[in-house]
Amino acid sequence: MSEAAAENLGQGTTWNASALLQLLYLGGFGVLGLGFILWALAQWNEGGAGDAADYATGTVTLAMSQEPPQLDSTRSTDQVSIAVLGHVMEGLLRYDQDDQLVGGVAERWEIGETSATFWLRSDARWSNGDPVTAHDFVFAWRKALEPANVSEYAFILYGIRNAEAVNRGEQPLEALGARAVGDRQLEVEFARPLPYFDKLTAFCTFNPVHEAFYESTAGAYGADADKLLYNGPFVIDQWIHGASLRLKKNPNYWDADRIRLNVIDYAYITSDPLATINLFKDGKVALTSLNAENLTDAMQQRWKIHRFADGSVFYLGLNHRPGRPTSNYHLRKALQAVHDPGELVYKVLKLPGNVPTNSLFPVWLKGVRGSFRQEYPAPKHHPDDARGRELLARALAELGLAELPPLVMLIGDTPTSKKQAEYYQNLFKRKLGIDIKIDAQIFKQRLAKMTSGDYDIVAAGWGPDYDDAMTFADLFTSWNENNRGRYANPVLDAAVDVARSSNDPQTRMDAIAKVQKIIYEDVVVLTQFERGSVYVAHPRLRGVVRRSVGTDPDYTNAWIAPVGG
Amino acid sequence: MLMYTLKRLLQGVVTVWFIATATFFAMHAVPGNPLTNEKAVSPKIWAELQKRYGLDKPLLEQYGLYIKNMASGDFGVSYTQQNRQVNDIITEHFKVSATLGILAVVFAAFGGILWGALTAMYRNRAPDIVIVFLVILGISVPGFVFAAFGQLSLVKVNDWLGFTLFPVAGWGTVQHMIVPSMVLGLGTMAFLTRLMRSSMLEIVNSDFVRTARSKGLPMTRIFRKHELRNAILPVITVLGPSIAAITTGGFVVELVFAIPGLGRYFVQAVQQLDYTVIMGTTVFYGAFLVFMVIAVDLLYGMVDPRVRLE
């Protein structure tokens, strides 16, 4: 039927029907509107219950980026799990609100040249009332090293005698150099000098595990709120998978008087930064991280923006495998000569908190007496384009090339990494005439390509595992699996060996300073910046500790100020 | 009818098998491995890990094993949520996605039928033009924009009212469901409005309506019995696939509104290369979609006597 005919028939005959429809609509909207008003009133009467930082109930409400994937402390590797464990578990030692190492389950300890002894406090208890004993630590450490348990963090225990052999299955579990003398004394023997062993014990792989309880869960340890036994300031009260995780103060905790919050409620689980910032705006969560995309929004809201160094250092990793152009020293030097970390941080990334650096060793690391970086300053670096071109000419001559083939730059799939890659693409083309081919990959694929060496340059970073310069120093040794560029230099290896086999702080730090120098001078990587994190918090939520190493964010010492307080 | 049903079901099973096979091999062709992690491990431990998860076996053997387990309803254990069965993840989180999806479809169907009928009535007049404009907007603007916009508007509304009218995100109560389901159903509602409009226009000018009119039947009766009823038929046809599409396509809304639905696991699993969860969710969603279409076809045969299922 033609359009015109439809028009005529349609208009003339449906008047009644349309009237009916209108009535229908009015009725529908009326009912909806009425229901809405009633319901809104009900809401109103419920009152403003549930401020994100509620003084009356001592409850802080927060959002989580994902639910903790692994709460079995012998196998945890990710930040979310480690942060939760930092609230519900306690190791031998812990970091207090001023980042000082203090006694946790251990009340006293001695770290010697070849061994350490820990004396456990008598009032440390599990959430079922059992005392926390030295056996619980021995069990947990053996579990972490048991080959069948395939813990990815087992290496952190390698400083203990026979740990590595046990982990490889070459020695029985009982051979591990950790022994319980009675219930309250723990003896540890070292495989090599470990002056920072006290700091290691604050890490989650060193947490105790209640053996009988572990066995009773039949392989599901850590899978649910009731499949865990707690010895920390909080316990998991309720865990709805994928939806929420609620921590409640642990009355059995030996230092319960110190804990001022009653409930830490991770009421939302979403990885969308926009959603968390909207939740914060609506007063539903008490703290949220900011990124480059929502920073402007936060500034427009005139929120107080906090910042801290999250501990990690970012760099452009270079592929040192033979046959790769980047294995040529002069090419690496040429790239370094035009590289300007300051420009990247201040003009490209523009996220407050990031600090440009010429050293792999971040500013917060401790040295002999004070700060490592004050005692051993970072190498001086001045971008010099002319020198860069000169070095490139030498590299080309050595490689026997008239022109360099495009270099593959492997990056992640976030907007920030793309922005960064485009900056480098432009920089290296403009200053050296080098073409960069960007290869953006999702997380696991990027890691796979890094491991197989399928790149020339990779945007990467390294976060510390423990609070000692060694966590950065041994990264580019020939034996480290995380040395994905397969850099191999006997001088660097030797320096790390010196630092590893000494207890003398001066000797150790001198050796590590040598590593710092080699990394710059041999251009092992192009260091970019120390990452800063920015976040906003509820104005009445106080005492939250942000850290470079360890539980972060740490709410164990937090409290909520009364309104007006 | 019985033969037809059996034939369709068999076809469905074959389709699902095909989906499973294609996903399995595509997933394994991607570089990397669910066990690849930020901290590299020694080759010895790596080999141990591969063995533990059976990833050291030849691909075809892994495939055979997987199909066997799948046939017995076992999707295995997640690689990222190392303590959770994929079956548990699906049953726990699909409930949420389904609730959200059904609400969204109800919203879309009611809205679509009413708006569609209204535009047909007011053809080429102001209400029609306004609604059609909104419909085009609804079809062309992607869901994540609506989601973000909806959430931001809520923040503003709550701020302006001084109390929480609708929660900005989260899940649990009826209030939590309303805005996300409206956002999720918006695209489908726009689509259904357009469908309803054209179908209504066609019916209004059909012979039997003209006959009814010439018989002198009351207009309201013609509208209800002859026009609306017949115009709704094509809308019902697309409802089935819509339910499946909405339920499976809600992951953006789930992400923005922090809803613990299955879609989120689906997307995360792909990013994390979590083999078992990718397979589990893909096969489940695939089966859901395929059997939803079959169900609608069968229902259609019952609703419309002209359609014969052979």
Side-chain angles (χ1 to χ4, degrees):
Chain A
M1 176 168 297
S2 76
E3 282 276 309
E7 189 79 11
N8 287 336
L9 283 168
Q11 274 187 359
T13 55
T14 50
W15 164 245
N16 272 332
S18 78
L20 178 82
L21 249 189
Q22 280 173 332
L23 272 179
L24 252 172
Y25 268 101
L26 278 177
F29 278 120
V31 171
L32 267 180
L34 197 70
F36 182 72
I37 289 165
L38 278 175
W39 174 68
L41 278 174
Q43 283 284 302
W44 181 270
N45 288 334
E46 265 176 39
D51 191 348
D54 196 42
Y55 173 71
T57 57
T59 301
V60 52
T61 310
L62 300 158
M64 226 177 209
S65 62
Q66 59 162 326
E67 77 164 1
Q70 182 57 276
L71 287 183
D72 173 353
S73 58
T74 67
R75 291 173 64 197
S76 309
T77 53
D78 66 289
Q79 284 184 327
V80 175
S81 302
I82 291 172
V84 171
L85 285 171
H87 289 85
V88 298
M89 296 291 174
E90 189 174 65
L92 290 166
L93 306 182
R94 63 175 180 87
Y95 285 101
D96 69 2
Q97 63 267 42
D98 304 315
D99 266 347
Q100 297 302 309
L101 213 51
V102 295
V105 174
E107 57 183 352
R108 203 154 61 79
W109 61 96
E110 270 172 23
I111 312 281
E113 299 243 325
T114 57
S115 67
T117 308
F118 295 86
W119 288 271
L120 274 49
R121 56 181 88 246
S122 57
D123 51 352
R125 293 196 180 277
W126 290 102
S127 47
N128 67 355
D130 289 357
V132 181
T133 69
H135 302 284
D136 299 330
F137 286 94
V138 175
F139 173 74
W141 299 0
R142 284 180 181 170
K143 197 76 202 159
L145 290 166
E146 192 179 312
N149 196 36
V150 283
S151 163
E152 287 169 47
Y153 255 114
F155 73 87
I156 206 160
L157 295 153
Y158 279 7
I160 303 173
R161 198 164 65 84
N162 291 337
E164 199 165 348
V166 168
N167 192 221
R168 288 196 180 138
E170 292 156 8
Q171 294 237 32
L173 293 181
E174 292 71 32
L176 180 69
R179 196 163 57 89
V181 182
D183 278 353
R184 291 181 47 206
Q185 192 177 335
L186 183 68
E187 301 271 2
V188 187
E189 290 171 273
F190 299 152
R192 52 183 165 83
L194 264 184
Y196 51 91
F197 188 71
D198 50 348
K199 293 166 181 165
L200 285 182
T201 61
F203 190 75
C204 78
T205 316
F206 286 83
N207 284 352
V209 173
H210 190 291
E211 182 170 2
F213 185 84
Y214 183 93
E215 303 299 349
S216 76
T217 58
Y221 184 72
D224 268 303
D226 59 355
K227 293 275 166 36
L228 264 175
L229 213 48
Y230 312 92
N231 78 321
F234 294 88
V235 298
I236 299 178
D237 179 37
Q238 191 190 44
W239 181 2
I240 303 171
H241 286 290
S244 64
L245 186 81
R246 221 171 99 99
L247 309 184
K248 202 180 66 180
K249 185 172 170 174
N250 179 4
N252 278 317
Y253 180 55
W254 65 272
D255 201 9
D257 291 346
R258 176 171 64 89
I259 309 305
R260 294 163 77 178
L261 285 180
N262 289 320
V263 175
I264 303 173
D265 190 5
Y266 293 96
Y268 308 92
I269 299 183
T270 175
S271 56
D272 181 12
L274 199 66
T276 41
I277 203 163
N278 281 337
L279 282 166
F280 185 81
K281 264 188 213 167
D282 202 38
K284 289 288 174 285
V285 298
L287 189 144
T288 182
S289 295
L290 301 175
N291 59 23
E293 282 84 55
N294 54 29
L295 183 72
T296 337
D297 190 9
M299 293 198 294
Q300 278 164 0
Q301 301 282 334
R302 299 183 172 275
W303 289 332
K304 184 173 188 266
I305 294 171
H306 306 263
R307 62 172 89 168
F308 76 106
D310 76 358
S312 20
V313 174
F314 284 77
Y315 49 80
L316 291 181
L318 299 169
N319 197 344
H320 297 269
R321 287 169 179 80
R324 285 283 174 179
T326 38
S327 67
N328 180 284
Y329 168 74
H330 287 109
L331 175 63
R332 298 202 304 270
K333 271 289 185 202
L335 294 176
Q336 187 181 45
V338 299
H339 186 225
D340 185 353
E343 187 175 68
L344 172 76
V345 168
Y346 299 125
K347 300 216 173 118
V348 181
L349 299 179
K350 292 191 274 197
L351 191 66
N354 286 343
V355 180
T357 184
N358 299 315
S359 169
L360 182 69
F361 297 87
V363 286
W364 50 266
L365 281 175
K366 295 180 189 78
V368 183
R369 273 165 295 275
S371 140
F372 174 83
R373 282 276 295 275
Q374 265 166 15
E375 290 164 5
Y376 305 94
K380 296 261 177 302
H381 177 71
H382 303 288
D384 183 346
D385 302 352
R387 180 154 167 69
R389 285 191 291 274
E390 213 173 278
L391 286 160
L392 179 66
R394 273 179 80 174
L396 288 175
E398 280 167 9
L399 291 165
L401 295 170
E403 199 186 352
L404 202 66
L407 298 179
V408 177
M409 184 183 237
L410 183 61
I411 60 163
D413 62 344
T414 63
T416 311
S417 24
K418 281 180 188 140
K419 195 156 83 176
Q420 201 192 114
E422 279 158 16
Y423 161 72
Y424 281 116
Q425 199 172 34
N426 177 287
L427 179 87
F428 291 137
K429 179 74 190 168
R430 194 160 37 91
K431 304 221 157 149
L432 296 173
I434 295 177
D435 282 311
I436 299 283
K437 212 175 115 213
I438 297 174
D439 181 12
Q441 295 286 349
I442 62 170
F443 183 63
K444 297 260 167 170
Q445 285 160 42
R446 185 170 64 94
L447 287 173
K449 286 194 151 190
M450 277 171 79
T451 310
S452 65
D454 193 4
Y455 67 93
D456 293 304
I457 303 172
V458 60
W462 185 250
D465 290 319
Y466 48 90
D467 183 14
D468 187 86
M470 188 52 83
T471 192
F472 286 96
D474 72 356
L475 183 56
F476 295 107
T477 54
S478 55
W479 60 79
N480 194 327
E481 301 291 339
N482 291 302
N483 174 6
R484 317 240 186 194
R486 301 262 46 103
Y487 177 75
N489 181 351
V491 185
L492 185 142
D493 287 358
V496 172
D497 241 350
V498 168
R500 287 213 307 177
S501 48
S502 169
N503 263 323
D504 175 46
Q506 188 70 50
T507 318
R508 294 186 71 234
M509 292 306 150
D510 282 351
I512 286 171
K514 213 162 159 186
V515 175
Q516 174 177 254
K517 202 166 152 219
I518 293 172
I519 287 172
Y520 179 79
E521 287 184 352
D522 204 23
V523 204
V524 180
V525 293
L526 295 171
T527 49
Q528 299 171 307
F529 56 91
E530 289 177 34
R531 186 165 64 182
S533 280
V534 276
Y535 66 99
V536 282
H538 193 289
R540 283 187 287 109
L541 176 64
R542 312 273 164 86
V544 179
V545 180
R546 303 302 307 254
R547 290 204 175 90
S548 308
V549 192
T551 310
D552 173 68
D554 183 352
Y555 298 98
T556 53
N557 294 303
W559 77 94
I560 297 159
V563 179
Chain B
M1 178 75 185
L2 187 70
M3 272 316 285
Y4 176 82
T5 313
L6 283 176
K7 205 177 95 192
R8 286 300 303 270
L9 283 178
L10 198 69
Q11 275 176 356
V13 171
V14 172
T15 314
V16 172
W17 168 78
F18 184 78
I19 293 172
T21 307
T23 316
F24 186 88
F25 287 104
M27 175 177 91
H28 280 274
V30 169
N33 184 304
L35 303 171
T36 316
N37 227 325
E38 242 166 317
K39 296 268 148 68
V41 293
S42 70
K44 172 108 185 169
I45 295 184
W46 178 250
E48 192 72 40
L49 270 168
Q50 301 287 316
K51 213 164 93 194
R52 182 186 165 122
Y53 288 97
L55 294 176
D56 57 335
K57 298 197 180 79
L59 195 59
L60 276 176
E61 194 184 330
Q62 287 184 46
Y63 170 72
L65 211 64
Y66 187 83
I67 294 291
K68 208 179 100 198
N69 289 339
M70 196 182 83
S72 63
D74 177 14
F75 286 114
V77 180
S78 162
Y79 282 89
T80 40
Q81 307 280 321
Q82 291 160 13
N83 289 315
R84 296 188 73 199
Q85 296 280 336
V86 176
N87 289 15
D88 292 347
I89 292 182
I90 292 175
T91 42
E92 251 174 77
H93 299 288
F94 181 66
K95 274 188 295 198
V96 175
S97 289
T99 312
L100 187 68
I102 289 168
L103 270 176
V105 169
V106 168
F107 169 73
F110 271 100
I113 291 167
L114 288 176
W115 291 120
L118 192 69
T119 48
M121 298 288 105
Y122 283 97
R123 186 160 195 236
N124 291 342
R125 279 186 279 160
D128 181 33
I129 292 164
V130 171
I131 293 170
V132 167
F133 173 74
L134 291 176
V135 162
I136 291 169
L137 210 67
I139 289 173
S140 48
V141 175
F144 62 86
V145 174
F146 281 127
F149 184 73
Q151 192 180 47
L152 198 65
S153 321
L154 265 187
V155 173
K156 297 270 182 232
V157 168
N158 289 345
D159 186 40
W160 178 70
L161 285 174
F163 65 98
T164 302
L165 186 60
F166 289 108
V168 166
W171 191 252
T173 64
V174 181
Q175 290 101 301
H176 284 107
M177 302 173 185
I178 291 172
V179 176
S181 61
M182 290 204 326
V183 166
L184 186 57
L186 220 54
T188 309
M189 184 172 90
F191 169 69
L192 291 181
T193 305
R194 211 171 54 170
L195 193 70
M196 184 68 190
R197 180 177 184 268
S198 57
S199 136
M200 191 77 180
L201 283 177
E202 203 180 300
I203 297 288
V204 162
N205 299 305
S206 62
D207 291 346
F208 67 90
V209 171
R210 204 176 307 164
T211 313
R213 231 177 267 139
S214 59
K215 274 199 303 193
L217 280 181
M219 279 302 154
T220 47
R221 196 178 152 84
I222 295 178
F223 178 71
R224 271 190 303 127
K225 291 269 174 180
H226 294 88
E227 295 175 356
L228 201 59
R229 243 185 136 175
N230 282 297
I232 277 179
L233 264 179
V235 175
I236 291 177
T237 320
V238 300
L239 264 189
S242 292
I243 291 178
I246 281 187
T247 308
T248 55
F251 59 84
V252 173
V253 173
E254 287 173 13
L255 184 74
V256 170
F257 289 95
I259 295 166
L262 192 55
R264 205 168 62 176
Y265 282 84
F266 184 52
V267 176
Q268 270 170 14
V270 174
Q271 280 168 351
Q272 297 285 326
L273 269 185
D274 191 339
Y275 286 167
T276 45
V277 179
I278 295 179
M279 287 305 294
T281 46
T282 312
V283 169
F284 177 78
Y285 275 153
F288 183 67
L289 203 73
V290 166
F291 291 106
M292 213 62 186
V293 173
I294 296 177
V296 167
D297 282 357
L298 294 177
L299 270 179
Y300 204 62
M302 290 173 205
V303 174
D304 189 343
R306 285 172 303 179
V307 177
R308 301 185 66 86
L309 302 174
E310 292 304 336

